[in-house]
Amino acid sequence: MALVDYHNHTYLCEHASGSLEDYINAAITSDLIELGFSDHAPLPLEIRDGITMHPEETEVYIALLEKNRDIYRDKIDIKLGFEIDYPLRESFNRQYLSDTRLDYLIGSCHFLGDWAFDQSRYAREFENRDIDGIYYEYYSVILDIVLSGYFNIIGHFDIIKKFGHRPKMDFRETIIGIAKMISKKDIAVEINTGGLRKPVREIYPSDDIITLFYNMNVPITLGSDSHASEEVGYMFDSAIEKIKKVGYKKISGFSKRKRYDILI
């Protein structure tokens, strides 16, 4: 079975462990055909500590990936990417949005305003806000990510559920609207198994959303959101079983910002 893992971090983000070689060897052992590194693009200094690489490390990161891609080219295809927080911040040089060295960009939302909602130290803020308002704001950002035209992959589509907080309203129509735009722009959504390691204990996105995406011809890819080598390809057997049950027969790969299909 031809599988890829497009969401992997490195030690440069300061909250992942191990060397690139550890991740690559884990991917080879797992029989992955492609391993994509998409470390966190630089955030502003006041919120960067322990979250992302520094702006001056961006070229170091790219050079490190290019070096390892050459070393391991006969064993696995290494892909170059970034996971970029949206809305964009000036800490990330926008020239990288069109850099031809990169294979793909993941657009993600980890902040609503100044609130880092996916960090456990700030999770109590959920108790102080209207849950439907939170979901509305979150999905508004996701739609903006899609409409921006910058990204190839939408990261952990419903990560807002990370700590188990569920909306009271039905957001199906909102998600359908986003899915229509994703399909129109030929962007992929990642099936992110990292959620299985979080309090919600659920893949991003949910089963219902995956089914909706299939019915609306939304391309998908796979990501483990690994921050340690043992998490590469995490629970992909379960993810593949899930997407095949829905009807998917292929996932997406990327090269030089172009999407292609991989049969599974």
Side-chain angles (χ1 to χ4, degrees):
M1 186 184 298
L3 296 183
V4 305
D5 186 346
Y6 270 61
H7 196 149
N8 299 277
H9 295 279
T10 78
Y11 64 88
L12 288 170
C13 72
E14 299 182 356
H15 62 283
S17 61
S19 66
L20 261 71
E21 292 83 356
D22 293 335
Y23 290 73
I24 295 168
N25 286 321
I28 293 170
T29 300
S30 299
D31 294 325
L32 296 182
I33 62 168
E34 297 179 8
L35 180 67
F37 285 96
S38 50
D39 213 350
H40 296 285
L43 285 171
L45 179 62
E46 61 270 20
I47 56 174
R48 181 188 310 144
D49 186 38
I51 297 177
T52 72
M53 68 181 77
H54 294 205
E56 62 270 20
E57 293 176 316
T58 309
E59 284 297 320
V60 174
Y61 168 74
I62 293 174
L64 187 61
L65 294 188
E66 290 181 327
K67 175 184 176 181
N68 279 276
R69 180 172 59 186
D70 290 340
I71 292 172
Y72 290 94
R73 68 171 57 252
D74 293 332
K75 296 183 178 180
I76 192 169
D77 192 359
I78 303 296
K79 300 293 186 178
L80 283 66
F82 282 100
E83 181 180 14
I84 304 175
D85 260 274
Y86 203 85
L88 299 177
R89 293 159 172 87
E90 294 304 319
S91 50
F92 183 64
N93 191 325
R94 297 194 182 198
Q95 72 179 18
Y96 292 108
L97 295 172
S98 57
D99 193 315
T100 57
R101 294 173 296 175
L102 302 179
D103 293 304
Y104 65 99
L105 296 176
I106 297 177
S108 294
C109 175
H110 298 93
F111 293 83
L112 294 178
D114 295 330
W115 176 33
F117 65 81
D118 80 322
Q119 293 186 37
S120 57
R121 55 183 165 169
Y122 302 123
R124 292 190 66 178
E125 182 64 19
F126 276 95
E127 301 171 12
N128 300 323
R129 303 193 185 199
D130 173 68
I131 189 62
D132 291 334
I134 292 171
Y135 267 78
Y136 178 83
E137 186 177 356
Y138 174 78
Y139 280 129
S140 295
V141 176
I142 296 300
L143 179 58
D144 287 343
I145 290 174
V146 176
L147 294 175
S148 73
Y150 295 135
F151 304 102
N152 308 100
I153 301 170
I154 306 302
H156 36 58
F157 185 85
D158 57 356
I159 194 176
I160 196 69
K161 71 185 181 187
K162 178 177 178 177
F163 298 108
H165 300 281
R166 308 286 185 171
K168 298 174 183 176
M169 288 176 53
D170 183 355
F171 279 84
R172 179 178 174 82
E173 291 303 315
T174 298
I175 294 168
I176 287 174
I178 296 172
K180 286 179 180 178
M181 293 306 304
I182 293 173
S183 181
K184 180 179 179 180
K185 291 180 173 291
D186 199 35
I187 301 170
V189 172
E190 66 171 359
I191 305 301
N192 185 315
T193 58
L196 294 169
R197 303 190 300 270
K198 304 305 180 183
V200 71
R201 301 295 182 192
E202 186 177 290
I203 283 176
Y204 309 125
S206 67
D207 292 1
D208 288 345
I209 296 176
I210 293 174
T211 300
L212 185 155
F213 283 163
Y214 174 74
N215 291 333
M216 300 189 69
N217 299 310
V218 171
I220 59 171
T221 192
L222 294 173
S224 63
D225 215 336
S226 71
H227 289 73
S229 60
E230 60 268 23
E231 295 172 353
V232 173
Y234 182 79
M235 297 293 287
F236 273 15
D237 288 346
S238 295
I240 292 298
E241 180 181 357
K242 188 181 296 292
I243 63 176
K244 279 188 170 182
K245 185 177 180 180
V246 168
Y248 278 105
K249 295 179 174 60
K250 56 191 178 183
I251 56 176
S252 297
F254 293 89
S255 179
K256 304 301 181 184
R257 307 298 303 281
K258 300 296 184 182
R259 192 185 72 80
Y260 51 87
D261 292 328
I262 301 170
L263 295 178
I264 54 174

